Amino acid sequence: MNPVESQSEAAAAIKQAVSLAADPNPTISKQEALLRISPTQLEAVLHTGFEHSTRDVLTQGLGASPGAAVGKIVLTADEAMTATDDVILVREETSPADVHGMQVAVGILTTRGGLASHAAVVARGWGKPAVCGAENIEIADDHIVVNGERIDVGETLSIDGTSGDVIRGTVHTTHVEPIPEIAVLLQWADEVRDLNIRANADTADEAKVARVNGAEGIGLCRTEHMFLDEQRLPIIRKMILAASAEQETQALQALRDSQHKDFLGLLEEMDGLPVTVRLLDPPLHEFLPEIEDLIEAAARNELDQHDQDLLRAARRWRERNPMIGTRGVRLAWLKPGLYEMQTLALLDAIADRTASGGTPLVEIMIPLTVSGEELAGIRERIQSTIEEHSPGASIKIGTMIETPRAALVADQLAQHADFFSFGTNDLTQLTFGFSRDDIESSIMGLYLEQGLLHNNPFQQVDSEAVTELVQLGVERGRNTKPDLPIGVCGEHGGDPTSIELLAATGIDYVSCSPPRIPIARLAAAQAAIHRTTEN
Ligand code: PEP
Ligand code: MG
């Protein structure tokens, strides 16, 4: 179907369903209206699309962040920054060091990485179109090669972040004007759903979009994303490079000051709603330049003293399997000042908000815990920081459940947690033993084609093992604490089928990127209706 038709047809379907159910003599119920509209139709009217269905598709990657984008190719974040036209940033993968370029690009295209990769997660958070893992694209110095066809930097590409299509040249984009019936439909959805919907938001701007879209709080603020712009990277690098306790303390103080401002912005936007702040999670080398680039520069004798220090740090922090290495709560055991600094920055922001009459509701979340002792120790430190600096402040401290072990020992973890949030990206990675950064652009296509897997488990939560682990974690957690609040903040929280499957496990909320909140509200309502009609 032509995408323009599908957009306008979806808009017409929404208008019709709402008018039939809102009529003084309704011919269908509100619930029937809600069931008539598929999340895909809602998505179609919320994003830009391409005009022509017959388009010359060069290659395909994963539709990682919906919407259409047209721009000139650039291959580095710095080129994106200096470009005067709209650009598509093409990278093998993105990392924190690319974020300034990603921000200014109209679309992002990567040749490696899946739906839970850095590029995909960041782009979805911003609502920026992205295609990831387009493995048929090779990147050279000043051009790319797609299936043998050379395309130079500066030439135009069109990407479709919904279908994953990559097209040479310009395809005209379309946008359906917002229709008031969407708000009516979503209000009906809110009346029937029993799952709360929160947002994965890291900045005040994202929080604003989330709130407009109906988020009932922030379920995941990835604090590492606050260090990703060019001005902030040197601050965190200073901490990584600190050669003495004194230098580390100084670097942590600078981090505290910058995080204080970030948290303040977030709490202002989300005033009166819960904001779950996850303490630093990624392996530290992610904040350093690529080690290969440093080694090449060293061979050319191009490293100054600071670069040499960076190279030493990159070697120090290099791991063969960084995603199962020194990250998450493990970092806090290695660098005890880190979580304390983040807690202090939060307390500073809470104090400011309270002083100006706001109602900050903060929850601190600890990532990647695997044992009761590990969680208890860090919780104790965070609590004593709170007691020392803001005695009596009431801040919930919870944990992510991201490993099969954490799900299995959820009864123990619940003793030290005020809430759980399932990180289904890591839980999927670790349940399958599939690298979330590599598998979708390596063998996932083959596995789907051969029927070895029925769905991409990073897109649609695996209903055979991962949801069972979630259910088990919910049951065991609530055996210890019957009222334990539990959410899901992996990317599945914005996928309609996953929402339905996860709702059945007994969780209280899902958290997803701000642009997906309307979809999640509809999907949660449909899940609730299906459950009541089945029973
Ligand atoms: C997850 O693992 O599902 C999660 C939300 O954390 P992150 O994607 O930041 O690892
Ligand atoms: Mg995780």
Side-chain angles (χ1 to χ4, degrees):
M1 190 191 302
N2 182 315
V4 180
E5 278 167 22
S6 70
Q7 269 189 343
S8 49
E9 278 174 14
I14 293 171
K15 279 184 181 171
Q16 192 197 31
V18 168
S19 84
L20 291 176
D23 193 274
N25 297 310
T27 45
I28 62 171
S29 69
K30 288 179 187 175
Q31 297 206 351
E32 281 168 321
L34 283 164
L35 292 178
R36 275 193 183 193
I37 304 305
S38 71
T40 318
Q41 283 175 310
L42 182 58
E43 188 168 313
V45 294
L46 292 175
H47 296 289
T48 45
F50 281 133
E51 250 178 29
H52 306 292
S53 54
T54 47
R55 50 204 200 197
D56 217 357
V57 176
L58 265 182
T59 188
Q60 243 194 352
L62 299 159
S65 179
V70 181
K72 295 188 171 165
I73 298 176
V74 290
L75 299 180
T76 67
D78 290 342
E79 283 168 40
M81 292 296 288
T82 52
T84 46
D85 297 314
D86 285 350
V87 291
I88 305 276
L89 177 62
V90 187
R91 301 282 293 157
E92 186 173 299
E93 285 175 292
T94 64
S95 78
D98 295 311
V99 168
H100 58 296
M102 295 164 76
Q103 265 161 352
V104 296
V106 294
I108 296 154
L109 171 60
T110 66
T111 61
R112 287 171 57 113
L115 295 172
S117 66
H118 178 266
V121 170
V122 172
R124 264 202 301 278
W126 296 339
K128 185 167 291 199
V131 173
C132 291
E135 58 188 338
N136 292 333
I137 300 179
E138 286 165 50
I139 300 178
D141 281 350
D142 59 356
H143 65 276
I144 60 173
V145 179
V146 191
N147 296 326
E149 199 172 322
R150 175 184 168 126
I151 310 177
D152 288 312
V153 163
E155 283 192 49
T156 301
L157 274 190
S158 301
I159 62 168
D160 184 335
T162 308
S163 64
D165 289 350
V166 178
I167 303 132
R168 189 171 193 165
T170 301
V171 181
H172 291 289
T173 54
T174 64
H175 183 65
V176 170
E177 286 305 312
I179 50 169
E181 286 81 0
I182 294 176
V184 178
L185 189 79
L186 291 176
Q187 197 202 317
W188 294 345
D190 295 346
E191 288 163 14
V192 296
R193 68 186 161 88
D194 43 17
L195 270 188
N196 276 10
I197 311 293
R198 295 199 195 179
N200 292 356
D202 315 315
T203 63
D205 287 347
E206 288 173 23
K208 188 181 271 180
V209 175
R211 200 153 191 171
V212 168
N213 282 345
E216 293 158 311
I218 290 181
L220 174 64
C221 161
R222 291 178 164 102
T223 50
E224 60 270 19
H225 286 184
M226 296 170 163
F227 296 114
L228 299 188
D229 71 40
E230 268 195 319
Q231 287 103 40
R232 296 293 183 77
L233 269 178
I235 306 180
I236 200 155
R237 282 179 182 168
K238 242 187 211 144
M239 185 211 56
I240 299 171
L241 296 178
S244 65
E246 200 189 339
Q247 279 181 12
E248 186 165 301
T249 309
Q250 270 175 11
L252 285 171
Q253 182 57 43
L255 280 176
R256 174 178 171 179
D257 295 342
S258 58
Q259 291 254 273
H260 173 187
K261 290 194 201 90
D262 295 327
F263 293 145
L264 194 57
L266 215 55
L267 293 177
E268 265 165 18
E269 289 299 338
M270 279 285 153
D271 194 51
L273 293 176
V275 173
T276 309
V277 175
R278 183 185 65 191
L279 303 183
L280 214 65
D281 177 52
L284 290 186
H285 77 84
E286 283 196 10
F287 298 105
L288 298 170
E290 291 289 333
I291 193 165
E292 287 78 12
D293 294 345
L294 290 167
I295 290 171
E296 279 172 24
R300 294 192 302 268
N301 248 340
E302 284 173 2
L303 295 189
D304 61 18
Q305 186 54 49
H306 179 65
D307 293 335
Q308 285 175 24
D309 291 343
L310 286 173
L311 177 55
R312 214 168 310 125
R315 287 203 166 108
R316 152 80 180 82
W317 291 104
R318 176 157 60 166
E319 292 177 299
R320 285 189 199 283
N321 289 309
M323 289 302 271
I324 50 172
T326 313
R327 58 171 288 217
V329 67
R330 298 160 209 169
L331 282 175
W333 285 101
L334 209 63
K335 288 201 171 277
L338 192 58
Y339 281 10
E340 183 189 352
M341 173 281 292
Q342 293 197 287
T343 305
L344 288 171
L346 260 172
L347 294 173
D348 294 340
I350 291 170
D352 287 355
R353 284 300 301 147
T354 311
S356 39
T359 310
L361 300 178
V362 172
E363 302 176 343
I364 291 179
M365 181 152 78
I366 302 170
L368 221 69
T369 45
V370 294
S371 84
E373 291 81 355
E374 183 191 42
L375 178 60
I378 295 299
R379 181 190 171 100
E380 207 176 290
R381 282 198 213 153
I382 293 172
Q383 256 173 341
S384 60
T385 304
I386 296 173
E387 289 300 307
E388 229 174 85
H389 291 267
S390 306
S394 121
I395 299 178
K396 286 185 183 171
I397 302 172
T399 184
M400 296 190 74
I401 305 288
E402 302 185 90
T403 69
R405 185 178 206 282
L408 292 166
V409 301
D411 49 344
Q412 295 170 39
L413 293 174
Q415 286 172 17
H416 312 287
D418 301 322
F419 65 91
F420 278 175
S421 181
F422 283 84
T424 47
N425 303 329
D426 277 311
L427 190 58
T428 300
Q429 165 168 259
L430 295 167
T431 302
F432 280 84
F434 281 169
S435 160
R436 62 191 264 191
D437 296 316
D438 298 314
I439 200 95
E440 288 162 281
S441 47
S442 55
I443 61 161
M444 182 72 72
L446 177 79
Y447 266 46
L448 292 171
E449 232 171 73
Q450 303 273 327
L452 310 181
L453 282 174
H454 300 301
N455 298 292
N456 173 353
F458 288 102
Q459 181 167 29
Q460 183 180 313
V461 70
D462 163 50
S463 62
E464 290 174 345
V466 175
T467 48
E468 192 156 341
L469 281 169
V470 173
Q471 181 145 15
L472 203 134
V474 169
E475 279 164 19
R476 293 192 178 173
R478 290 202 180 127
N479 276 344
T480 302
K481 282 193 183 150
D483 297 326
L484 190 72
I486 303 181
V488 167
C489 63
E491 296 308 305
H492 303 98
D495 172 64
T497 310
S498 306
I499 290 173
E500 177 123 24
L501 291 163
L502 291 164
T505 64
I507 57 164
D508 301 300
Y509 67 89
V510 291
S511 190
C512 60
S513 62
R516 289 204 73 77
I517 286 178
I519 317 281
R521 286 163 69 193
L522 176 63
Q526 293 181 341
I529 299 169
H530 289 149
R531 253 196 335 276
T532 45
T533 48
E534 274 159 23
N535 290 335

